[in-house]
Amino acid sequence: DGGITQSPKYLFRKEGQNVTLSCEQNLNHDAMYWYRQDPGQGLRLIYYSQIVNDFQKGDIAEGYSVSREKKESFPLTVTSAQKNPTAFYLCASSAWDRVDEKLFFGSGTQLSVL
Amino acid sequence: KNQVEQSPQSLIILEGKNCTLQCNYTVSPFSNLRWYKQDTGRGPVSLTIMTFSENTKSNGRYTATLDADTKQSSLHITASQLSDSASYICVVSLNNNAGNMLTFGGGTRLMVKP
């Protein structure tokens, strides 16, 4: 059963704590993305990776870090430097279909601050 | 600045009725426009993708239209069902079609009541 799996579904962070959100895909996609979604706002790109061992900052990378050691995995760490981390986090991977890049999203992780 | 504006922000309709959601964008150079459906607490799922040369595209009861001259798109839902209750997100892609070059609208939250 192919797809993108995000875990956990819900996560709580204490002040000064780093937390890591998991994203795994078995679609054999090269590119993976992390987005942040706030109520009423459009998704904003945090980080993306187009190939293993390489990643690039998106529009709102400050306070976040990622790694891409395996093709299947793209974990996101929300560091203590991110002062407003409460949001819904979406991971996506992509494949090219003729001329268009099609994004496939995971089910998301809701992060809240205690 | 590239922007995607959606209206209305929220909409309530009765089951069986039709509705139309609007999307205006200022993204340039434009490549394609996508509509996604996002159930609460889930990741977005693609409904349609249209290039600048396409005026309309259907996916079951969903029909998207595009006017690249006025930079407007609409999503028409016919004979609404309770399962149509979700947020609908308009996404515009810059010319390179990559997932890191997408601009997301804030979405329209649709509620279908029995």
Side-chain angles (χ1 to χ4, degrees), chain B residues 28-82:
Chain B
S28 181
F30 166 83
S31 176
N32 64 52
L33 186 145
R34 316 168 186 210
W35 283 94
Y36 284 84
K37 177 185 179 184
Q38 184 178 21
D39 293 315
T40 301
R42 307 287 293 178
V45 174
S46 179
L47 293 175
T48 64
I49 298 179
M50 290 185 293
T51 66
F52 64 88
S53 61
E54 296 177 288
N55 300 120
T56 185
K57 182 165 280 189
S58 292
N59 178 1
R61 293 179 297 100
Y62 301 102
T63 299
T65 65
L66 173 64
D67 185 335
D69 291 331
T70 62
K71 298 187 176 181
Q72 296 180 326
S73 176
S74 65
L75 181 69
H76 186 74
I77 304 174
T78 304
S80 61
Q81 301 176 357
L82 298 179

Short mmCIF file of all heavy atoms in Angstrom, two decimals, chain B residues 28-82:
data_model
loop_
_atom_site.label_atom_id
_atom_site.label_comp_id
_atom_site.label_asym_id
_atom_site.label_seq_id
_atom_site.Cartn_x
_atom_site.Cartn_y
_atom_site.Cartn_z
N SER B 28 3.20 35.17 -11.64
CA SER B 28 3.74 35.30 -12.98
C SER B 28 5.24 34.95 -12.95
O SER B 28 5.94 35.34 -12.00
CB SER B 28 3.56 36.73 -13.48
OG SER B 28 4.06 36.88 -14.78
N PRO B 29 5.76 34.25 -13.90
CA PRO B 29 5.08 33.63 -15.04
C PRO B 29 4.30 32.39 -14.63
O PRO B 29 4.78 31.57 -13.87
CB PRO B 29 6.25 33.25 -15.96
CG PRO B 29 7.41 33.04 -15.03
CD PRO B 29 7.21 34.01 -13.91
N PHE B 30 3.12 32.28 -15.16
CA PHE B 30 2.18 31.25 -14.75
C PHE B 30 2.39 29.98 -15.55
O PHE B 30 2.61 30.01 -16.75
CB PHE B 30 0.76 31.79 -14.96
CG PHE B 30 -0.33 30.75 -14.90
CD1 PHE B 30 -0.83 30.34 -13.69
CD2 PHE B 30 -0.82 30.19 -16.07
CE1 PHE B 30 -1.82 29.38 -13.62
CE2 PHE B 30 -1.82 29.23 -16.02
CZ PHE B 30 -2.32 28.83 -14.79
N SER B 31 2.31 28.83 -14.88
CA SER B 31 2.44 27.56 -15.57
C SER B 31 1.15 26.75 -15.49
O SER B 31 0.59 26.37 -16.51
CB SER B 31 3.59 26.74 -15.00
OG SER B 31 3.63 25.48 -15.62
N ASN B 32 0.73 26.45 -14.29
CA ASN B 32 -0.52 25.72 -14.16
C ASN B 32 -1.23 26.09 -12.86
O ASN B 32 -0.65 26.72 -11.97
CB ASN B 32 -0.32 24.20 -14.26
CG ASN B 32 0.54 23.65 -13.15
OD1 ASN B 32 0.28 23.88 -11.97
ND2 ASN B 32 1.57 22.90 -13.50
N LEU B 33 -2.50 25.74 -12.80
CA LEU B 33 -3.32 26.03 -11.64
C LEU B 33 -3.96 24.73 -11.18
O LEU B 33 -4.49 23.97 -11.99
CB LEU B 33 -4.38 27.08 -11.97
CG LEU B 33 -5.24 27.58 -10.80
CD1 LEU B 33 -5.56 29.06 -10.97
CD2 LEU B 33 -6.50 26.77 -10.63
N ARG B 34 -3.93 24.52 -9.87
CA ARG B 34 -4.43 23.26 -9.30
C ARG B 34 -5.49 23.56 -8.25
O ARG B 34 -5.40 24.56 -7.54
CB ARG B 34 -3.27 22.50 -8.64
CG ARG B 34 -2.00 22.46 -9.46
CD ARG B 34 -0.82 21.96 -8.67
NE ARG B 34 0.42 22.08 -9.44
CZ ARG B 34 1.46 21.28 -9.32
NH1 ARG B 34 1.42 20.29 -8.44
NH2 ARG B 34 2.54 21.47 -10.04
N TRP B 35 -6.45 22.69 -8.15
CA TRP B 35 -7.40 22.72 -7.06
C TRP B 35 -7.22 21.44 -6.23
O TRP B 35 -7.12 20.34 -6.77
CB TRP B 35 -8.84 22.78 -7.59
CG TRP B 35 -9.25 24.14 -8.07
CD1 TRP B 35 -9.18 24.62 -9.34
CD2 TRP B 35 -9.80 25.19 -7.27
NE1 TRP B 35 -9.65 25.90 -9.39
CE2 TRP B 35 -10.05 26.28 -8.14
CE3 TRP B 35 -10.12 25.33 -5.91
CZ2 TRP B 35 -10.59 27.48 -7.69
CZ3 TRP B 35 -10.67 26.52 -5.47
CH2 TRP B 35 -10.90 27.58 -6.36
N TYR B 36 -7.18 21.65 -4.91
CA TYR B 36 -7.06 20.54 -3.98
C TYR B 36 -8.26 20.55 -3.02
O TYR B 36 -8.80 21.61 -2.70
CB TYR B 36 -5.80 20.64 -3.12
CG TYR B 36 -4.51 20.27 -3.82
CD1 TYR B 36 -3.82 21.20 -4.59
CD2 TYR B 36 -3.97 18.99 -3.68
CE1 TYR B 36 -2.62 20.85 -5.21
CE2 TYR B 36 -2.78 18.64 -4.29
CZ TYR B 36 -2.10 19.58 -5.05
OH TYR B 36 -0.92 19.24 -5.66
N LYS B 37 -8.63 19.37 -2.55
CA LYS B 37 -9.64 19.22 -1.50
C LYS B 37 -8.92 18.74 -0.25
O LYS B 37 -8.14 17.78 -0.29
CB LYS B 37 -10.70 18.19 -1.90
CG LYS B 37 -11.75 17.93 -0.83
CD LYS B 37 -12.69 16.82 -1.25
CE LYS B 37 -13.72 16.55 -0.15
NZ LYS B 37 -14.59 15.39 -0.47
N GLN B 38 -9.20 19.43 0.88
CA GLN B 38 -8.56 19.04 2.13
C GLN B 38 -9.62 18.81 3.20
O GLN B 38 -10.27 19.75 3.65
CB GLN B 38 -7.56 20.10 2.60
CG GLN B 38 -6.80 19.69 3.85
CD GLN B 38 -5.78 20.73 4.30
OE1 GLN B 38 -5.86 21.90 3.94
NE2 GLN B 38 -4.79 20.29 5.10
N ASP B 39 -9.77 17.57 3.61
CA ASP B 39 -10.65 17.26 4.73
C ASP B 39 -9.97 17.71 6.02
O ASP B 39 -8.74 17.75 6.11
CB ASP B 39 -10.95 15.76 4.79
CG ASP B 39 -11.79 15.29 3.61
OD1 ASP B 39 -12.76 15.99 3.29
OD2 ASP B 39 -11.46 14.27 3.00
N THR B 40 -10.77 18.01 7.03
CA THR B 40 -10.24 18.50 8.31
C THR B 40 -9.24 17.51 8.89
O THR B 40 -9.54 16.32 9.01
CB THR B 40 -11.39 18.74 9.29
OG1 THR B 40 -12.28 19.70 8.73
CG2 THR B 40 -10.85 19.27 10.61
N GLY B 41 -8.07 18.00 9.24
CA GLY B 41 -7.06 17.15 9.85
C GLY B 41 -6.39 16.19 8.92
O GLY B 41 -5.75 15.22 9.36
N ARG B 42 -6.52 16.40 7.61
CA ARG B 42 -5.92 15.52 6.62
C ARG B 42 -5.09 16.35 5.63
O ARG B 42 -5.13 17.57 5.62
CB ARG B 42 -7.00 14.77 5.84
CG ARG B 42 -8.00 14.04 6.70
CD ARG B 42 -7.40 12.81 7.33
NE ARG B 42 -7.08 11.80 6.33
CZ ARG B 42 -6.51 10.63 6.62
NH1 ARG B 42 -6.20 10.33 7.86
NH2 ARG B 42 -6.26 9.75 5.68
N GLY B 43 -4.32 15.65 4.81
CA GLY B 43 -3.56 16.34 3.77
C GLY B 43 -4.42 16.62 2.55
O GLY B 43 -5.41 15.95 2.31
N PRO B 44 -4.06 17.62 1.76
CA PRO B 44 -4.81 17.95 0.54
C PRO B 44 -4.71 16.83 -0.50
O PRO B 44 -3.68 16.15 -0.59
CB PRO B 44 -4.13 19.21 0.02
CG PRO B 44 -3.37 19.77 1.19
CD PRO B 44 -2.96 18.59 2.00
N VAL B 45 -5.78 16.68 -1.26
CA VAL B 45 -5.83 15.70 -2.34
C VAL B 45 -6.15 16.44 -3.64
O VAL B 45 -7.06 17.27 -3.67
CB VAL B 45 -6.90 14.63 -2.06
CG1 VAL B 45 -7.04 13.69 -3.25
CG2 VAL B 45 -6.55 13.85 -0.80
N SER B 46 -5.41 16.13 -4.68
CA SER B 46 -5.58 16.84 -5.95
C SER B 46 -6.92 16.55 -6.60
O SER B 46 -7.36 15.40 -6.68
CB SER B 46 -4.45 16.44 -6.90
OG SER B 46 -4.59 17.10 -8.14
N LEU B 47 -7.59 17.61 -7.09
CA LEU B 47 -8.83 17.47 -7.85
C LEU B 47 -8.58 17.68 -9.34
O LEU B 47 -9.01 16.88 -10.17
CB LEU B 47 -9.87 18.48 -7.36
CG LEU B 47 -10.40 18.31 -5.95
CD1 LEU B 47 -11.33 19.47 -5.60
CD2 LEU B 47 -11.14 16.98 -5.82
N THR B 48 -7.94 18.79 -9.68
CA THR B 48 -7.67 19.11 -11.09
C THR B 48 -6.35 19.86 -11.21
O THR B 48 -5.90 20.51 -10.28
CB THR B 48 -8.77 19.99 -11.71
OG1 THR B 48 -8.76 21.25 -11.04
CG2 THR B 48 -10.14 19.37 -11.62
N ILE B 49 -5.76 19.73 -12.39
CA ILE B 49 -4.60 20.55 -12.77
C ILE B 49 -4.86 21.08 -14.16
O ILE B 49 -5.20 20.30 -15.07
CB ILE B 49 -3.29 19.74 -12.78
CG1 ILE B 49 -2.96 19.20 -11.40
CG2 ILE B 49 -2.14 20.61 -13.27
CD1 ILE B 49 -1.70 18.36 -11.36
N MET B 50 -4.73 22.40 -14.35
CA MET B 50 -4.96 23.00 -15.66
C MET B 50 -3.76 23.84 -16.06
O MET B 50 -3.23 24.63 -15.27
CB MET B 50 -6.20 23.90 -15.63
CG MET B 50 -7.50 23.15 -15.50
SD MET B 50 -8.90 24.28 -15.61
CE MET B 50 -8.65 25.20 -14.12
N THR B 51 -3.32 23.67 -17.31
CA THR B 51 -2.27 24.54 -17.84
C THR B 51 -2.92 25.82 -18.36
O THR B 51 -4.15 25.92 -18.47
CB THR B 51 -1.51 23.85 -18.97
OG1 THR B 51 -2.41 23.66 -20.07
CG2 THR B 51 -0.96 22.51 -18.52
N PHE B 52 -2.09 26.78 -18.77
CA PHE B 52 -2.61 28.08 -19.20
C PHE B 52 -3.46 27.96 -20.46
O PHE B 52 -4.26 28.83 -20.77
CB PHE B 52 -1.46 29.07 -19.43
CG PHE B 52 -0.53 28.68 -20.54
CD1 PHE B 52 -0.79 29.06 -21.85
CD2 PHE B 52 0.60 27.92 -20.28
CE1 PHE B 52 0.08 28.70 -22.86
CE2 PHE B 52 1.47 27.56 -21.29
CZ PHE B 52 1.21 27.95 -22.60
N SER B 53 -3.28 26.88 -21.21
CA SER B 53 -4.02 26.73 -22.46
C SER B 53 -5.37 26.03 -22.28
O SER B 53 -6.14 25.92 -23.24
CB SER B 53 -3.18 25.93 -23.48
OG SER B 53 -2.92 24.64 -22.97
N GLU B 54 -5.65 25.57 -21.08
CA GLU B 54 -6.91 24.87 -20.83
C GLU B 54 -7.92 25.82 -20.18
O GLU B 54 -7.57 26.58 -19.29
CB GLU B 54 -6.69 23.66 -19.93
CG GLU B 54 -5.80 22.60 -20.56
CD GLU B 54 -5.54 21.43 -19.61
OE1 GLU B 54 -4.77 21.63 -18.64
OE2 GLU B 54 -6.09 20.35 -19.85
N ASN B 55 -9.17 25.74 -20.63
CA ASN B 55 -10.21 26.60 -20.09
C ASN B 55 -11.07 25.92 -19.05
O ASN B 55 -11.64 26.56 -18.16
CB ASN B 55 -11.13 27.10 -21.22
CG ASN B 55 -10.37 27.90 -22.24
OD1 ASN B 55 -10.32 27.55 -23.42
ND2 ASN B 55 -9.76 28.98 -21.80
N THR B 56 -11.20 24.60 -19.17
CA THR B 56 -12.05 23.87 -18.26
C THR B 56 -11.57 22.44 -18.11
O THR B 56 -11.00 21.87 -19.03
CB THR B 56 -13.51 23.90 -18.73
OG1 THR B 56 -14.33 23.26 -17.74
CG2 THR B 56 -13.67 23.18 -20.05
N LYS B 57 -11.77 21.90 -16.91
CA LYS B 57 -11.42 20.50 -16.67
C LYS B 57 -12.36 19.97 -15.60
O LYS B 57 -12.61 20.65 -14.60
CB LYS B 57 -9.98 20.37 -16.23
CG LYS B 57 -9.53 18.95 -15.99
CD LYS B 57 -8.02 18.82 -15.92
CE LYS B 57 -7.42 18.81 -17.31
NZ LYS B 57 -5.98 18.48 -17.28
N SER B 58 -12.85 18.75 -15.83
CA SER B 58 -13.81 18.16 -14.91
C SER B 58 -13.26 16.92 -14.24
O SER B 58 -12.42 16.21 -14.80
CB SER B 58 -15.10 17.80 -15.64
OG SER B 58 -15.77 18.96 -16.06
N ASN B 59 -13.74 16.69 -13.03
CA ASN B 59 -13.40 15.49 -12.28
C ASN B 59 -14.66 15.09 -11.52
O ASN B 59 -14.91 15.57 -10.42
CB ASN B 59 -12.24 15.77 -11.32
CG ASN B 59 -11.88 14.56 -10.47
OD1 ASN B 59 -12.48 13.48 -10.60
ND2 ASN B 59 -10.90 14.72 -9.60
N GLY B 60 -15.49 14.29 -12.17
CA GLY B 60 -16.76 13.92 -11.56
C GLY B 60 -17.67 15.13 -11.42
O GLY B 60 -17.94 15.82 -12.39
N ARG B 61 -18.11 15.41 -10.19
CA ARG B 61 -19.01 16.55 -9.97
C ARG B 61 -18.24 17.86 -9.81
O ARG B 61 -18.85 18.90 -9.57
CB ARG B 61 -19.84 16.28 -8.71
CG ARG B 61 -20.81 15.11 -8.86
CD ARG B 61 -21.62 14.86 -7.57
NE ARG B 61 -20.76 14.48 -6.45
CZ ARG B 61 -20.38 15.33 -5.50
NH1 ARG B 61 -20.79 16.59 -5.50
NH2 ARG B 61 -19.61 14.91 -4.52
N TYR B 62 -16.94 17.81 -9.92
CA TYR B 62 -16.12 19.02 -9.81
C TYR B 62 -15.71 19.49 -11.21
O TYR B 62 -15.19 18.71 -11.99
CB TYR B 62 -14.84 18.74 -9.01
CG TYR B 62 -15.08 18.25 -7.61
CD1 TYR B 62 -14.96 16.90 -7.29
CD2 TYR B 62 -15.41 19.14 -6.59
CE1 TYR B 62 -15.16 16.45 -6.00
CE2 TYR B 62 -15.62 18.69 -5.30
CZ TYR B 62 -15.50 17.35 -5.01
OH TYR B 62 -15.70 16.91 -3.71
N THR B 63 -15.94 20.78 -11.49
CA THR B 63 -15.52 21.36 -12.77
C THR B 63 -14.75 22.64 -12.48
O THR B 63 -15.28 23.56 -11.85
CB THR B 63 -16.72 21.68 -13.67
OG1 THR B 63 -17.41 20.47 -13.97
CG2 THR B 63 -16.24 22.32 -14.97
N ALA B 64 -13.52 22.68 -12.95
CA ALA B 64 -12.69 23.87 -12.78
C ALA B 64 -12.63 24.64 -14.09
O ALA B 64 -12.57 24.04 -15.17
CB ALA B 64 -11.29 23.49 -12.33
N THR B 65 -12.65 25.96 -14.00
CA THR B 65 -12.47 26.80 -15.18
C THR B 65 -11.29 27.72 -14.95
O THR B 65 -10.92 28.02 -13.81
CB THR B 65 -13.72 27.65 -15.45
OG1 THR B 65 -13.91 28.56 -14.37
CG2 THR B 65 -14.95 26.77 -15.61
N LEU B 66 -10.69 28.15 -16.05
CA LEU B 66 -9.53 29.03 -15.96
C LEU B 66 -9.60 30.08 -17.05
O LEU B 66 -9.82 29.76 -18.23
CB LEU B 66 -8.23 28.21 -16.12
CG LEU B 66 -6.93 29.01 -16.21
CD1 LEU B 66 -6.68 29.79 -14.92
CD2 LEU B 66 -5.76 28.10 -16.53
N ASP B 67 -9.41 31.34 -16.65
CA ASP B 67 -9.27 32.44 -17.60
C ASP B 67 -7.89 33.04 -17.35
O ASP B 67 -7.71 33.83 -16.41
CB ASP B 67 -10.38 33.47 -17.39
CG ASP B 67 -10.34 34.57 -18.44
OD1 ASP B 67 -9.25 34.83 -19.01
OD2 ASP B 67 -11.37 35.19 -18.68
N ALA B 68 -6.92 32.66 -18.16
CA ALA B 68 -5.54 33.10 -17.95
C ALA B 68 -5.37 34.58 -18.24
O ALA B 68 -4.43 35.22 -17.76
CB ALA B 68 -4.59 32.28 -18.81
N ASP B 69 -6.29 35.14 -19.03
CA ASP B 69 -6.18 36.58 -19.34
C ASP B 69 -6.53 37.43 -18.13
O ASP B 69 -5.85 38.42 -17.82
CB ASP B 69 -7.12 36.93 -20.51
CG ASP B 69 -6.63 36.32 -21.81
OD1 ASP B 69 -5.40 36.14 -21.97
OD2 ASP B 69 -7.49 36.02 -22.67
N THR B 70 -7.61 37.06 -17.44
CA THR B 70 -8.02 37.81 -16.24
C THR B 70 -7.43 37.23 -14.98
O THR B 70 -7.63 37.78 -13.89
CB THR B 70 -9.55 37.82 -16.12
OG1 THR B 70 -10.01 36.47 -15.97
CG2 THR B 70 -10.20 38.46 -17.35
N LYS B 71 -6.71 36.11 -15.10
CA LYS B 71 -6.07 35.46 -13.95
C LYS B 71 -7.11 35.06 -12.90
O LYS B 71 -6.96 35.37 -11.70
CB LYS B 71 -4.97 36.32 -13.37
CG LYS B 71 -3.84 36.58 -14.36
CD LYS B 71 -2.67 37.31 -13.72
CE LYS B 71 -1.54 37.45 -14.74
NZ LYS B 71 -0.35 38.12 -14.18
N GLN B 72 -8.14 34.39 -13.39
CA GLN B 72 -9.19 33.94 -12.49
C GLN B 72 -9.51 32.48 -12.77
O GLN B 72 -9.46 32.02 -13.92
CB GLN B 72 -10.46 34.77 -12.68
CG GLN B 72 -10.30 36.23 -12.32
CD GLN B 72 -11.58 37.03 -12.54
OE1 GLN B 72 -12.33 36.74 -13.47
NE2 GLN B 72 -11.83 37.99 -11.68
N SER B 73 -9.84 31.77 -11.70
CA SER B 73 -10.27 30.39 -11.83
C SER B 73 -11.47 30.19 -10.92
O SER B 73 -11.64 30.91 -9.92
CB SER B 73 -9.15 29.44 -11.44
OG SER B 73 -9.58 28.09 -11.47
N SER B 74 -12.28 29.22 -11.25
CA SER B 74 -13.40 28.87 -10.40
C SER B 74 -13.51 27.35 -10.31
O SER B 74 -13.08 26.63 -11.21
CB SER B 74 -14.71 29.45 -10.93
OG SER B 74 -15.03 28.87 -12.18
N LEU B 75 -14.05 26.90 -9.20
CA LEU B 75 -14.34 25.48 -9.01
C LEU B 75 -15.83 25.36 -8.75
O LEU B 75 -16.34 25.90 -7.77
CB LEU B 75 -13.54 24.91 -7.84
CG LEU B 75 -13.77 23.42 -7.57
CD1 LEU B 75 -13.17 22.57 -8.70
CD2 LEU B 75 -13.17 22.99 -6.23
N HIS B 76 -16.52 24.64 -9.64
CA HIS B 76 -17.96 24.47 -9.53
C HIS B 76 -18.24 23.05 -9.04
O HIS B 76 -17.73 22.08 -9.59
CB HIS B 76 -18.62 24.70 -10.89
CG HIS B 76 -20.11 24.69 -10.83
ND1 HIS B 76 -20.85 25.72 -10.31
CD2 HIS B 76 -21.00 23.75 -11.23
CE1 HIS B 76 -22.14 25.42 -10.39
NE2 HIS B 76 -22.25 24.23 -10.94
N ILE B 77 -19.05 22.97 -8.00
CA ILE B 77 -19.44 21.66 -7.45
C ILE B 77 -20.93 21.47 -7.72
O ILE B 77 -21.76 22.31 -7.33
CB ILE B 77 -19.16 21.57 -5.94
CG1 ILE B 77 -17.68 21.86 -5.67
CG2 ILE B 77 -19.54 20.19 -5.41
CD1 ILE B 77 -17.32 21.92 -4.19
N THR B 78 -21.24 20.40 -8.38
CA THR B 78 -22.62 20.11 -8.78
C THR B 78 -23.24 19.09 -7.84
O THR B 78 -22.58 18.14 -7.42
CB THR B 78 -22.64 19.55 -10.21
OG1 THR B 78 -22.00 20.48 -11.08
CG2 THR B 78 -24.05 19.29 -10.68
N ALA B 79 -24.52 19.30 -7.52
CA ALA B 79 -25.28 18.34 -6.69
C ALA B 79 -24.48 17.94 -5.45
O ALA B 79 -24.12 16.78 -5.27
CB ALA B 79 -25.64 17.12 -7.52
N SER B 80 -24.22 18.91 -4.61
CA SER B 80 -23.32 18.71 -3.47
C SER B 80 -23.77 17.56 -2.58
O SER B 80 -24.98 17.28 -2.42
CB SER B 80 -23.21 20.00 -2.67
OG SER B 80 -24.48 20.37 -2.17
N GLN B 81 -22.77 16.92 -1.96
CA GLN B 81 -23.01 15.84 -1.02
C GLN B 81 -22.37 16.20 0.32
O GLN B 81 -21.49 17.06 0.38
CB GLN B 81 -22.42 14.54 -1.56
CG GLN B 81 -22.99 14.11 -2.90
CD GLN B 81 -22.33 12.88 -3.46
OE1 GLN B 81 -21.38 12.33 -2.88
NE2 GLN B 81 -22.82 12.41 -4.61
N LEU B 82 -22.81 15.54 1.37
CA LEU B 82 -22.26 15.82 2.70
C LEU B 82 -20.75 15.63 2.72
O LEU B 82 -20.02 16.35 3.40
CB LEU B 82 -22.92 14.94 3.75
CG LEU B 82 -24.43 15.11 3.92
CD1 LEU B 82 -24.96 14.16 4.99
CD2 LEU B 82 -24.79 16.55 4.29
#
